[in-house]
Amino acid sequence: MKFSKLFQVKYGKKVRFSHYDPSFTAGFKKDQVEKILVKDIASIVDLEYRLYAEGERSLLIVLQAMDSAGKDGVIRHVMSGFNPQSCKVTAFKVPSAEEAAHDFLWRVHKAIPSKGEIGIFNRSHYEEVLVVRVHSLQPKKVWSRRYDEINAFEEFLAKNGVTILKFFLHISKDEQKKRLQARLDDTKKNWKLDPHDLKERKYWTDYMLAYEEVLSRCSTKRAPWFIIPANRKWFRNLAISRIIIEHLQAMEIKTPKPKFDLSNIVVK
Ligand code: AMP
Ligand code: MG
């Protein structure tokens, strides 16, 4: 089964979340998946090594989701076997004064992984049509043209050797309630509770509308969106690692040939 096909938003498709089940597990069971996950991490490690050795192309993984949907968990899981030398995580926060003084893609472009590297975005340029839209941080006239600007930017990157995979971690509003409640009740999780998340939760419907528009307008052939059912953490991790593997395999990365005639070299 190809996970990419199952979860990729087809170009031009109008996304309605009522048609997507955040608890979907494609018939998999938790116990069975744990073993697959260990194997998948080993495959990612091998593919990452080859990408680094080739040094020609890069991979950008974009993670977007409501609070508590598991962006940090995915990063911990997917990266658990990565070589820290060739992988970089960037978390996008409220823009600094310097960032806000530039165009909205300025800070994003600087964080694009170099050739041979994997970059993970914890939030991204999509905040510019999500939080900015939901809270009217910019006039509609400004944010509404950003969908096309983002598509053009990603097309440019893709043509220049960046493979882009964008994941929306889809949880239900009830599941978020459970997770936020657990942060309140469990002393080990207290540190994760951010009162700001409780405020944002009140805008759930507005965020869902904003996400539907992002997924409907910005899933392109070269930079697809995937809607990942994320109520079950183990299935979320499985789907994302599978999709990353499928794409890295399709890149047919070859470790470079030696630059010298090895037959003449003797190590004394
Ligand atoms: P966290 O990821 O929980 O550390 O929170 C980061 C916060 O920064 C979130 O509330 C985001 O919505 C916010 N944020 C990220 N990018 C932007 C942006 N371009 N404009 C405004 N707020 C942003
Ligand atoms: Mg937060």
Side-chain angles (χ1 to χ4, degrees):
M1 179 176 57
K2 279 249 183 257
F3 278 74
S4 305
K5 254 206 147 144
L6 200 54
F7 298 117
Q8 181 166 339
V9 178
K10 286 202 192 72
Y11 177 63
K13 184 180 163 67
K14 265 225 164 310
V15 170
R16 291 282 168 264
F17 287 128
S18 50
H19 299 148
Y20 293 82
D21 175 9
S23 297
F24 181 69
T25 58
F28 283 90
K29 298 271 173 297
K30 192 176 178 187
D31 327 349
Q32 154 201 25
V33 163
E34 271 156 12
K35 273 190 219 125
I36 308 178
L37 285 178
V38 174
K39 268 188 28 208
D40 277 359
I41 290 299
S43 306
I44 294 182
V45 170
D46 175 54
L47 289 159
E48 184 211 15
Y49 182 74
R50 280 196 260 157
L51 186 74
Y52 182 59
E54 183 199 67
E56 295 288 338
R57 295 172 286 175
S58 62
L59 173 67
L60 173 64
I61 296 167
V62 171
L63 299 174
Q64 282 287 162
M66 296 300 282
D67 293 301
S68 85
K71 296 189 297 295
D72 295 334
V74 168
I75 294 170
R76 270 198 310 279
H77 170 71
V78 173
M79 281 191 59
S80 55
F82 277 1
N83 172 3
Q85 283 217 91
S86 57
C87 175
K88 187 173 66 180
V89 180
T90 309
F92 290 93
K93 311 278 180 186
V94 177
S96 67
E98 192 191 20
E99 288 167 349
H102 289 82
D103 71 86
F104 77 99
L105 292 170
W106 182 73
R107 65 174 182 166
V108 181
H109 208 162
K110 282 202 300 186
I112 296 299
S114 327
K115 291 175 181 174
E117 288 186 355
I118 297 182
I120 303 183
F121 283 2
N122 181 343
R123 303 186 189 270
S124 66
H125 40 304
Y126 283 96
E127 291 290 324
E128 301 286 347
V129 283
L130 292 165
V131 66
V132 170
R133 169 180 166 157
V134 168
H135 291 292
S136 304
L137 304 179
Q138 298 274 347
K140 182 169 185 186
K141 154 168 129 333
V142 172
W143 60 253
S144 60
R145 59 172 192 251
R146 289 183 173 162
Y147 300 93
D148 292 340
E149 289 168 348
I150 289 173
N151 286 345
F153 172 64
E154 292 179 352
E155 166 89 13
F156 165 79
L157 294 175
K159 280 188 180 151
N160 284 278
V162 187
T163 293
I164 306 170
L165 303 175
K166 302 177 296 195
F167 297 101
F168 171 64
L169 315 184
H170 183 210
I171 56 166
S172 60
K173 197 177 177 193
D174 276 353
E175 180 65 22
Q176 189 195 48
K177 184 170 190 215
K178 273 191 222 155
R179 294 185 186 185
L180 293 176
Q181 190 65 46
R183 290 178 180 186
L184 194 62
D185 299 341
D186 180 346
T187 48
K188 278 203 236 89
K189 291 185 177 168
N190 284 167
W191 69 273
K192 285 203 234 174
L193 190 73
D194 180 351
H196 180 71
D197 297 351
L198 301 177
K199 273 197 213 139
E200 288 306 276
R201 181 174 159 77
K202 297 203 180 112
Y203 295 90
W204 185 274
T205 310
D206 295 338
Y207 270 110
M208 290 306 113
L209 284 173
Y211 268 111
E212 282 179 342
E213 182 138 12
V214 160
L215 297 163
S216 302
R217 293 184 62 179
C218 298
S219 188
T220 59
K221 217 168 156 229
R222 286 179 173 275
W225 270 106
F226 300 90
I227 301 176
I228 304 297
N231 276 1
R232 308 270 176 277
K233 294 175 183 171
W234 52 271
F235 186 76
R236 170 201 78 196
N237 289 348
L238 174 76
I240 293 181
S241 26
R242 289 268 97 208
I243 293 169
I244 292 173
I245 292 170
E246 286 166 9
H247 281 81
L248 283 171
Q249 282 172 341
M251 285 166 75
E252 298 186 343
I253 314 161
K254 299 196 176 61
T255 31
K257 295 236 168 355
K259 295 189 179 92
F260 316 97
D261 179 2
L262 299 188
S263 59
N264 291 331
I265 299 181
V266 181
V267 183
K268 289 188 183 150

